[in-house]
Amino acid sequence: VLEVSVQIELWGAETPRTFRPLWVLEELGIGYDHYPIGSRTGETQTEDYRTLTQKQKIPLLRDGEFVLIESLAISRYLIAGYGEDIFWTPQSQRDKAREDEWCCHIYGELDETGLYVMRRHGELAHIYGASPEVMSASKAYVEKQLQGIGFHLEGRQSVMSGGFGLADILLMSCVDWAVFYELKLPEVLLTYRAHMVQRPAYQKAMAKNYAKLLGDQNGTA
């Protein structure tokens, strides 16, 4: 386990991918500085930000001199370094492989193949083009994957049998994304979500990540 740093900084807000490391940090309860820059706002294109990463993406973590992007990599790094007493972490080779399986499935099938495709041809249609056919097919695909995950979650409160961990961080970000897009979720996933949203750290991360959106909905921004 790494020594807790007092230099942790996180860039990014307003997307499911930036929500993931924010939630992890709130669960850990360690100090960090948050810079809520957004994607496609020009904030990732500045010279200062390019000195952090030429990839010009969010989220981005800086822990001392160590810089890391990608929500899954950042979340895994934080949990491995600072969260063994808070998160379930796999110890056996098979448990590590099983967690990887779920993380790859959630990120690859729900996020990249489904929900982000919907974002591209919905919210970002002015960039990527509108396509009702793609939207409809992606919606059906995500709902099918959610059904399969629902079967796995029967009788469980977490993705892994050991308890709350990295796979839950990823899954909940996608479940919330699907709810926002008004997709049909199996009842077991709605029950799972109702359990997760009660976590204080989840609520704090939501308030930070979606401050502008929540403000808009409340008529305060």
Side-chain angles (χ1 to χ4, degrees):
V1 178
L2 301 177
E3 181 182 350
V4 175
S5 169
V6 295
Q7 303 180 62
I8 290 179
E9 300 166 316
L10 184 73
W11 278 261
E14 300 182 16
T15 77
R17 294 173 181 174
T18 56
F19 172 71
R20 294 163 188 161
L22 270 172
W23 185 9
V24 172
L25 283 165
E26 290 297 331
E27 291 283 353
L28 295 175
I30 58 179
Y32 67 96
D33 294 323
H34 181 217
Y35 304 98
I37 67 173
S39 61
R40 296 179 176 82
T41 62
E43 294 170 297
T44 62
Q45 311 299 313
T46 66
E47 184 177 346
D48 285 346
Y49 196 74
R50 285 199 299 271
T51 64
L52 293 172
T53 174
Q54 289 297 318
K55 295 176 182 176
Q56 302 173 47
K57 304 288 288 185
I58 55 172
L60 177 144
L61 176 87
R62 181 161 67 179
D63 185 1
E65 297 301 314
F66 182 66
V67 175
L68 190 65
I69 67 167
E70 299 295 343
S71 63
L72 175 55
I74 294 169
S75 298
R76 188 187 295 281
Y77 169 79
L78 290 169
I79 291 171
Y82 308 118
E84 287 189 353
D85 295 333
I86 298 167
F87 291 87
W88 175 85
T89 54
Q91 301 301 313
S92 72
Q93 180 183 7
R94 290 187 176 185
D95 280 346
K96 290 176 182 177
R98 186 67 71 199
E99 184 183 67
D100 278 347
E101 176 188 32
W102 276 110
C103 289
C104 290
H105 180 74
I106 294 164
Y107 201 101
E109 304 304 322
L110 292 183
D111 181 322
E112 292 182 316
T113 305
L115 292 163
Y116 192 73
V117 172
M118 294 181 69
R119 183 167 188 252
R120 281 191 169 191
H121 298 286
E123 300 163 66
L124 303 178
H126 60 288
I127 300 174
Y128 297 103
S131 176
E133 295 86 358
V134 170
M135 291 288 286
S136 178
S138 297
K139 177 177 180 289
Y141 184 78
V142 173
E143 289 180 340
K144 179 181 178 181
Q145 299 304 317
L146 290 171
Q147 287 290 333
I149 293 172
F151 284 121
H152 171 74
L153 286 174
E154 287 286 353
R156 296 172 177 262
Q157 291 189 328
S158 57
V159 174
M160 299 296 292
S161 58
F164 175 71
L166 177 61
D168 296 295
I169 297 289
L170 265 68
L171 179 57
M172 268 299 293
S173 67
C174 290
V175 168
D176 283 342
W177 200 349
V179 169
F180 183 74
Y181 282 174
E182 299 182 343
L183 273 60
K184 183 179 179 180
L185 275 68
E187 191 64 34
V188 66
L189 260 180
L190 294 175
T191 300
Y192 167 84
R193 180 174 184 264
H195 170 71
M196 286 292 172
V197 300
Q198 296 177 32
R199 299 183 72 92
Y202 168 93
Q203 297 168 16
K204 291 177 182 177
M206 285 290 287
K208 287 189 176 183
N209 192 59
Y210 298 112
K212 182 178 179 181
L213 175 64
L214 294 173
D216 288 342
Q217 291 178 343
N218 292 330
T220 59

